[in-house]
Amino acid sequence: MADTLPEQAQVVIVGGGAVGCSIAYHLTKIGITDVLLLERKQLTCGTTWHAAGLVGQLRATANMTKIAQYTAELFLELEEETGQATGMKQNGSISVATDIERLEELQRGASMARVFGLEVEEVSAEWIAQKYPVMHTDDIVGGVFLPRDGQTNPIDVTQAMAKGARNGGATILENTPVTGATINKGRVSAVQTASGEIACEYLVIAGGMWSRDFGRQIGVNIPLHAAEHFYIVTEPIDDLPSELPVLREPSACFYAKEDAGKLLVGAFEPKAKPWGGAGIPADFSFDALPDDFDHFEPMLEQAMHRIPVLKTAGIQTFFNGPESFTPDNRYYLGEAPEVRGVFVATGFNSTGIQSSGGAGKVLAEWIRDGHPSLDLWDVDIRRTLSFQSNMRYLHDRTTESLGLLYAMHWPFRQPETARAIRRTPLHEHLAKANACFGEAGGWERPNWFAPEGVIPEYDHTYGKPVWLIYSGNEHRAVRDNVGLLDISTFSKFLLQGRDAERIINYVSTNNMAVAPGRIVYTQWLNEQGGISADLTVTRLAEDAYLVMTAFSSHTRDYNWLQRHIPSDAHAVLTDVTPSYAGINVQGPNSRALLQQVSPDDFSNSAFPFGTSKEIQLGYATIRASRISYVGELGWELLIPSDMAAHVYETLVEAGQDLELTNVGMHAMNSLRIEKAYRHWGHDMADEDTPIEAGLEFAVRFDKPGGFIGREALLKQKECGLVAKRMVQFLMEDPEVMLYHNEPVIRDGTICGYITSGMYGHTLGGSVGMGYLNNPLERGGVDSEFVNSGSYEIEVACKRYPAQASLEPLYDPGNERIKS
């Protein structure tokens, strides 16, 4: 270890836990050796040292699973490479269920594991009793076993990665707190310490629970909050088997692992205890928090029931230590949108050890290449929003976040804490209409509407919920009559200036050199041809464009467009989301409704599809755009926020004779999936090209000036083959419910998975979309490959027949939207 502080380093990493050391290790592995890791005290002294060291591999998505899989593989190899013991053993893990609904959750997870290439077994209570002989199994209905899961020693494995980093040329300095950073013209140029300044090209924030405050100091938004995390370690237990798998009983909120003849039992309780909101003490190092046995006792009692030897075992250690949690239970990775060259790897929600190897690898590659090597949208720091760093919000949400790790992962489950933050101008009207609201990005959005006399609350199930009937009525109202949706939560950006056309045209695949008043559906691509955004752009004037995109990619899309405005360009980008509400009027009678409340002409000849105009409606002047995300005749109305309530009231009053129906987000989802409309972040992202996603119709290869990603996309087009293709599926059994990540089986072999699923009320069964995969050397995926196969979808470890189609199963000729 170097004794003096260098004057410069290409990459400076702040934080010497498992993740920081992994980043340093992997940077040296790919040839970036001018790396300096700075730890304020000693390596592992924050959270890593007291982590439980569980190495599970199944995560919520394919790429998160790949990251965890790589971590397990790395831990098995590190000791041989570095000579430093890691304590890694692959003893497997068992998750058990005591009721049928939890068992279905585990089985759906097992099906997902098969998609992701993990070994997984469904197991009975009898099998579990043999594998884990000290367990009480009389009330267990089943479980799943992942044989390649395991456990490790967090301190040892971190030291092994640190040693590997040093061997590769990295410098690691302990007792060197970073006090700040220098930002020049939006890019990091140096970091400050008490011993001096270090010039750098890249800064990586991997400081765990300290990251939020450090990020705030340099203008980077990192919303996270620490919470107390409890476990006990028993005294040695006689005759305790040494190769017990890691045990998880999520319904009882506990996990257990055997270690050196003892049991470690930890908890993810339903209501957690946030800690450190006022700031983490500067001298906090290898410290524990005060005991709170009363808080931990309910979970310990459950563990004693499941593992009876705990009743007589002595407790050697009762431990309480802090770990950091994020508002959505997903960690943060990637380049901060606020400052170029600043990367973030933090907020790991008790999965830091099992994610550290893979997270370090992909972040190192991101720094080297300037883009991620995988689709990492699930954990991309660009999903954060400014309000989420509010300390009251973080505190209240953290009481729930920790427990969600083991809570039932119901479809459509909504957060219960820190609600009613962002409300649209129509919120009170929709509440009076008996809306059941869901939360997304802080917004309260109506997901469905209950009829009069019915309480608008979810009945959670993996089968058909009661509310599906009400959402189905909304779905049919749009197909057969007219529905009204609040779309105020969509993000809206205004690009203005004499260079606006050149900028938006270069960023977009479609041609933006259109007349004012035209709406253009387009993608924004990365240099590799992958889809970075999927949105609509309306030309308002010769020098003005309006971008509308999903709330979930607000920060990402704004940042993407902002970064592609040249410094010498005459253009300015403004976020106008709060200024405008949105109402979507859709269905065969939408024209009749609008004609009643406006003197403007909505006929096909006067107002063709893809047109946007200012209109009069009631006493307001608003913008109407003829476009659809549900596959019907309809208009999106963009309204100044102060006039939204008036416009809504005018539409509702006029719509009484037409039986106008309020429509929620669940119906919008089922409508768009029936029409095979893609959703960015689910059905397409950074790794998917427009050709693979079936969106080549929105690409103009020959437009002047080209576009970002054109060369990569042309190369794929000229090849004439693709290895994957988006396909729509319809279940033959109307009782089977699809949500996402269910395996797609073609002729008996898994060849893809469902990216979006919802019950299709018009088509009469669950409808899903997903990619079929077939290597190019085997001919790739074309219409013959799709149409010649026989398909099944695996749901909770059972396979059900399905139809596959490259064309939308609903209105493939687009006759409805152009009627």
Side-chain angles (χ1 to χ4, degrees), residues 727-729 744-749 751 772-774 778-792 802-806:
V727 177
Q728 190 181 30
F729 300 92
V744 175
I745 295 96
R746 180 185 182 275
D747 296 342
T749 301
C751 66
L772 288 184
N773 297 278
N774 190 42
R778 296 181 187 172
V781 180
D782 56 14
S783 58
E784 181 180 355
F785 178 85
V786 174
N787 296 330
S788 63
S790 175
Y791 296 94
E792 296 173 298
Q803 303 171 26
S805 177
L806 280 168

Side-chain angles (χ1 to χ4, degrees), residues 285-398:
S285 175
F286 296 111
D287 287 328
L289 302 179
D291 293 348
D292 188 347
F293 192 80
D294 290 342
H295 185 80
F296 182 72
E297 186 176 21
M299 284 67 69
L300 181 57
E301 289 179 353
Q302 296 268 26
M304 288 177 174
H305 167 75
R306 185 60 55 218
I307 311 172
V309 295
L310 288 171
K311 297 176 182 178
T312 56
I315 296 178
Q316 183 181 81
T317 303
F318 181 87
F319 185 81
N320 177 16
E323 298 190 10
S324 58
F325 289 82
T326 65
D328 60 5
N329 265 96
R330 293 177 280 146
Y331 56 85
Y332 297 134
L333 210 63
E335 188 174 17
E338 301 91 348
V339 184
R340 289 177 181 256
V342 173
F343 284 77
V344 176
T346 192
F348 277 83
N349 304 281
S350 282
T351 67
I353 300 301
Q354 66 185 352
S355 304
S356 60
K361 180 177 185 292
V362 296
L363 194 73
E365 293 167 344
W366 197 334
I367 291 171
R368 178 194 64 190
D369 301 333
H371 60 83
S373 54
L374 300 172
D375 166 26
L376 297 173
W377 173 238
D378 279 338
V379 294
D380 196 319
I381 184 68
R382 290 174 293 175
R383 74 185 188 278
T384 60
L385 300 163
S386 58
F387 82 90
Q388 291 176 316
S389 279
N390 176 281
M391 291 309 301
R392 182 181 173 189
Y393 167 81
L394 284 171
H395 174 279
D396 292 354
R397 179 55 62 86
T398 301

Side-chain angles (χ1 to χ4, degrees), residues 650-695:
T650 302
L651 288 167
V652 169
E653 182 179 1
Q656 291 179 4
D657 293 341
L658 292 172
E659 297 183 353
L660 174 67
T661 300
N662 282 302
V663 176
M665 300 307 296
H666 290 341
M668 187 174 81
N669 197 36
S670 60
L671 289 159
R672 70 98 183 167
I673 291 178
E674 280 193 335
K675 191 66 175 69
Y677 285 153
R678 282 63 163 155
H679 184 280
W680 194 91
H682 288 91
D683 308 311
M684 54 189 166
D686 285 332
E687 289 184 295
D688 311 307
T689 72
I691 297 172
E692 295 163 345
L695 299 173

Side-chain angles (χ1 to χ4, degrees), residues 561-575:
L561 185 52
Q562 181 70 56
R563 288 193 173 187
H564 284 93
I565 298 176
S567 59
D568 60 348
H570 186 276
V572 62
L573 182 65
T574 308
D575 178 10

Side-chain angles (χ1 to χ4, degrees), residues 505-506 508-514 519-523 525 690 695-708 710 713-714 717:
N505 218 11
Y506 182 62
S508 305
T509 59
N510 218 329
N511 187 12
M512 297 298 151
V514 295
I519 313 162
V520 183
Y521 170 61
T522 190
Q523 285 76 49
L525 306 186
L695 299 173
E696 191 178 345
F697 66 87
V699 178
R700 298 294 178 266
F701 288 102
D702 58 351
K703 68 175 180 173
F707 55 87
I708 298 170
R710 177 178 180 271
L713 206 59
L714 268 177
K717 182 178 176 63

